[in-house]
C-alpha cells in the first residue's frame, strides 16, 4: 500500500442503521462496517432514539471499519458525517448529558401543536403580510414565508411541543444550560470530547429554525415561539474544519471535515453540480431533489427551498419533493397481501408484461404529498378486470411510483421555469429496471443508475476530501465518479401524453374521494 496514500471516512446514520465506510482517494471502497440501532415507540405517534446508543453505534462502526482496513487512524485525511435530517435532542451544556431522547422527524405527537401554531393570529397576520410583500417584490423569501404551514416534520413544531410537555427544559434553555442539536451536531460534540457545538447549512436549513435566504438562524421565528437562540449551534460550511476527534475514540485524532444532510449528500455524490441536475433516492420512500443554483427558488404549490451544501461561503440551493411510500409499499405488497415475496420478485412479475392492461395503482398508502398534501389519501387501484393477472398489478405498482416521481418533476419545471438536465437515481428500489424504464418513458428524460448504492456515504466522503484539502474544487472530484447504466425513453409524445392523461384522471378521482 502506498505510504503516501490518504483515506476518507464517511459515517452514514439512517433511521436504524449507522454505517462507516472508508474510501481510497481514487474512490474505491476499502472497508465498511455497520451497527443497527433501535427506535423507541413509547406511545401512539412517538418515534425516538437513545442518544447514547446512537453514539456508541457510531464508535463501534468506525472502529471496526478501521480494523478491517488495517490502516492507522492517522491515515484518515478527513471524516464526514451524514444523517437523516430534522431529528433533534437537547443536552446539558456542562455535563453533556442528554436531557431527552432524539425526537425523530417522523414523530407525529406534535400534530395538535402544529394546528394551533398555524391558527395563531400573529402567525396568520405575518403570512398574509409576507404573501403580499412577495407578490409585490417577487422576493423568494417572502413568498416562501407566505406559503409556509407548520407540520410535524418541522423541528420548530416538535421543539415547541417538547417545551410545553416539559417546561423545565425551556427554563434551562433560557438560562443557557442546554444545547440543541440534530444528530450530526450530537456526534460532532461527542467525537470532539464535548468541545465543538456546530452544524452545517444543509442540516440547519432542514430544521425550519434557519433562514436559508439570509444564512442565519431565524430570529423572528425564535422570538415568536419563545425559542432561546443561545442554545443553537454554530453554522459552518458543509466542507469545513469542524475539529479533531478525541484520541479515545479511534486511537488517534481524526479531522472532521464535513457535515451534510442525507439527501444533500446523495445529490453531491452523484455530481449534480449544475442547475437542473436531478437525483432520485429510492428507499423506503422516494426523494426527488433538484439543484436550482446559487439563488433559492420557491415552488408556489408547496416545495420549499433547502440548502444543498455550502462551500467556501457560497450556498447551492435545491428543491425537494417526496413520495411517502416506495420500498415500504413494496414490502407491504409482499408481507401484507402476498403479491410478491421480495422486491426482486415484484420486478420479475412486472417484467413479464409490457403493459398494465388498463390497471392503475396510485401508491398513496401513507397519504399524498406534492401538490395536494393530503395525509388522509389512501392507496387506490383502478381498472381491474377478470383478465387482470398479478403481473399487471406488479407493473402498475412500479408505474404508479414512477408517475408520482414524474408529478414532482413536472411540478418543479412548471413552478420554477427550470428545465431538467439529467436524472440520476440511487437506493435499493432503483435496482428495478422496470421502474427506471417507466420513469424514463413517462418523463421523457434519460435516467442514469450507478453501480454504487451508497451515494450518501460517497457524497459525504467527497465533501470530507474537499474539507481536508485532498481536492481543491468539485472539478477535481473525477476520481470519485462512477460508471452508470442508462435508461433511455421509449415512448413517443402521444404515448407519454395518453399515459399521463389517464394517470391524472385517476389521481383527480382519488383526491376527490379523500377530500
Amino acid at each position: 500500500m502506498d505510504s503516501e496514500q490518504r483515506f476518507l471516512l464517511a459515517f452514514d446514520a439512517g433511521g436504524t442503521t449507522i454505517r462507516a465506510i472508508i474510501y481510497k482517494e481514487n474512490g474505491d471502497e476499502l472497508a465498511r462496517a455497520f451497527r443497527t440501532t433501535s427506535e423507541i415507540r413509547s406511545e401512539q405517534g412517538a418515534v425516538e432514539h437513545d442518544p447514547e446508543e446512537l453514539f456508541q453505534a457510531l464508535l463501534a462502526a468506525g472502529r471496526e471499519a478501521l480494523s478491517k482496513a488495517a490502516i492507522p487512524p492517522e491515515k484518515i485525511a478527513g471524516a464526514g458525517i451524514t444523517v437523516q435530517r430534522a431529528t433533534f435532542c437537547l443536552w446539558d451544556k456542562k455535563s453533556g448529558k442528554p436531557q431527552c431522547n432524539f425526537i425523530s422527524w417522523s414523530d407525529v405527537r406534535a400534530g395538535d401543536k402544529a394546528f394551533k401554531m398555524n391558527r395563531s393570529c400573529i402567525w396568520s397576520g405575518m403570512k398574509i403580510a409576507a404573501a403580499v410583500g412577495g407578490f409585490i417584490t417577487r422576493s423568494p423569501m417572502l413568498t416562501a414565508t407566505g406559503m409556509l404551514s407548520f407540520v410535524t416534520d418541522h423541528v420548530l413544531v416538535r421543539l415547541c411541543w417538547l417545551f410545553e410537555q416539559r417546561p423545565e427544559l425551556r427554563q434551562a434553555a433560557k438560562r443557557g444550560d442546554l444545547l440543541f442539536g440534530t444528530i450530526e451536531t450530537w456526534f460532532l460534540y461527542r467525537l470532539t470530547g464535548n468541545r465543538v457545538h456546530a452544524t452545517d447549512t444543509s442540516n440547519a436549513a432542514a430544521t425550519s429554525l434557519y433562514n436559508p435566504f439570509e444564512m442565519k438562524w431565524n430570529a423572528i421565528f425564535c422570538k415568536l415561539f419563545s425559542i432561546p437562540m443561545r442554545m443553537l449551534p454554530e453554522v459552518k460550511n458543509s466542507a469545513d474544519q469542524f475539529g479533531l476527534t478525541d484520541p479515545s475514540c479511534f486511537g488517534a485524532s481524526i479531522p472532521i471535515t464535513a457535515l451534510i444532510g442525507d439527501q444533500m449528500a446523495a445529490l453531491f455524490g452523484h455530481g449534480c453540480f449544475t442547475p437542473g441536475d436531478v437525483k432520485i433516492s429510492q428507499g423506503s420512500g422516494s426523494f426527488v431533489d433538484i439543484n436550482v443554483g446559487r439563488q433559492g427558488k420557491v415552488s408556489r404549490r408547496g416545495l420549499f427551498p433547502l440548502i444543498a451544501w455550502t462551500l467556501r461561503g457560497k450556498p447551492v440551493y435545491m428543491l425537494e419533493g417526496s413520495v411517502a411510500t416506495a420500498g415500504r409499499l413494496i414490502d407491504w405488497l409482499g408481507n401484507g397481501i402476498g403479491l410478491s415475496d421480495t422486491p426482486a420478485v415484484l420486478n420479475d412479475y412486472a417484467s413479464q408484461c409490457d403493459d398494465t392492461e388498463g390497471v392503475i395503482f396510485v401508491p398513496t398508502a401513507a397519504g399524498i404529498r406534492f401538490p395536494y398534501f393530503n395525509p388522509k389519501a389512501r392507496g387506490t387501484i383502478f381498472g381491474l378486470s377478470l383478465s387482470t393477472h398479478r403481473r399487471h398489478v406488479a407493473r402498475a405498482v412500479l408505474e404508479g411510483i414512477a408517475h408520482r416521481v414524474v408529478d414532482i418533476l413536472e411540478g418543479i419545471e412548471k413552478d420554477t421555469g427550470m428545465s431538467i438536465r439529467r436524472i440520476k437515481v440511487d437506493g435499493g428500489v432503483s435496482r428495478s429496471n422496470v421502474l427506471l424504464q417507466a420513469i424514463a418513458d413517462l418523463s421523457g428524460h434519460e435516467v442514469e443508475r450507478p453501480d454504487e448504492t451508497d451515494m450518501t456515504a460517497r457524497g459525504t466522503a467527497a465533501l470530507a476530501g474537499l474539507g481536508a484539502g485532498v481536492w481543491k474544487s468539485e472539478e477535481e472530484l473525477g476520481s470519485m465518479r462512477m460508471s452508470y447504466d442508462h435508461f433511455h425513453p421509449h415512448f413517443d409524445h402521444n404515448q407519454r401524453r395518453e399515459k399521463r392523461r389517464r394517470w391524472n384522471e385517476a389521481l383527480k378521482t382519488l383526491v376527490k374521494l379523500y377530500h
Side-chain angles (χ1 to χ4, degrees), residues 231-362:
M231 70 177 182
L232 302 175
E234 177 187 3
V235 182
K236 305 184 74 170
N237 294 310
S238 303
D240 214 322
Q241 297 297 315
F242 288 95
L244 299 173
T245 63
D246 190 88
S248 64
C249 293
F250 304 113
S253 293
I254 295 175
I256 302 174
T257 54
L259 301 180
I260 186 78
D262 52 2
Q263 302 306 322
M264 295 79 167
L267 191 70
F268 195 89
H270 278 296
C272 294
F273 302 144
T274 304
D277 285 350
V278 171
K279 75 85 190 160
I280 304 170
S281 293
Q282 306 259 33
S284 57
S286 294
F287 288 87
V288 181
D289 297 284
I290 180 171
N291 181 328
V292 300
R294 297 289 184 185
Q295 300 293 325
K297 291 183 181 292
V298 176
S299 160
R300 293 182 179 273
R301 288 181 294 170
L303 297 182
F304 290 88
L306 294 168
I307 297 176
W309 55 78
T310 301
L311 299 175
R312 299 172 292 277
K314 296 180 179 179
V316 169
Y317 291 87
M318 73 182 201
L319 284 175
E320 179 176 273
S322 64
V323 180
T325 52
R328 283 193 297 168
L329 174 68
I330 294 172
D331 289 341
W332 170 79
L333 289 168
N335 299 327
I337 62 174
L339 178 64
S340 63
D341 293 327
T342 66
V345 171
L346 184 74
N347 187 75
D348 289 343
Y349 281 141
S351 64
Q352 293 173 11
C353 58
D354 296 324
D355 189 80
T356 67
E357 298 294 336
V359 178
I360 297 175
F361 189 100
V362 186

Side-chain angles (χ1 to χ4, degrees), residues 90-93 99 169 172-173 176-180 230-231:
L90 304 170
W91 59 92
D92 186 86
K93 187 174 183 179
Q99 300 301 295
L169 291 180
D177 293 339
L178 291 187
L179 296 178
F180 163 93
R230 60 198 304 182
M231 70 177 182

Side-chain angles (χ1 to χ4, degrees), residues 50 71 74 167 252 274 308 318 416 455:
D50 183 292
I71 59 172
E74 293 88 349
T274 304
M318 73 182 201
T416 66
M455 295 309 297

Side-chain angles (χ1 to χ4, degrees), residues 9 11 19-20 22 33 57-67 250:
L9 172 58
F11 290 106
R19 289 182 288 270
I22 297 176
L58 181 90
L59 282 183
R63 288 166 178 168
E64 183 180 339
L66 284 166
S67 177
F250 304 113

Side-chain angles (χ1 to χ4, degrees), residues 203-254:
N203 283 293
T207 65
S208 68
L209 289 165
Y210 189 79
N211 186 326
F213 299 99
E214 296 183 344
M215 301 283 287
K216 61 184 181 181
W217 293 112
N218 195 322
I220 295 176
F221 278 14
C222 289
K223 184 174 182 180
L224 180 61
F225 297 106
S226 300
I227 304 298
M229 295 186 67
R230 60 198 304 182
M231 70 177 182
L232 302 175
E234 177 187 3
V235 182
K236 305 184 74 170
N237 294 310
S238 303
D240 214 322
Q241 297 297 315
F242 288 95
L244 299 173
T245 63
D246 190 88
S248 64
C249 293
F250 304 113
S253 293
I254 295 175

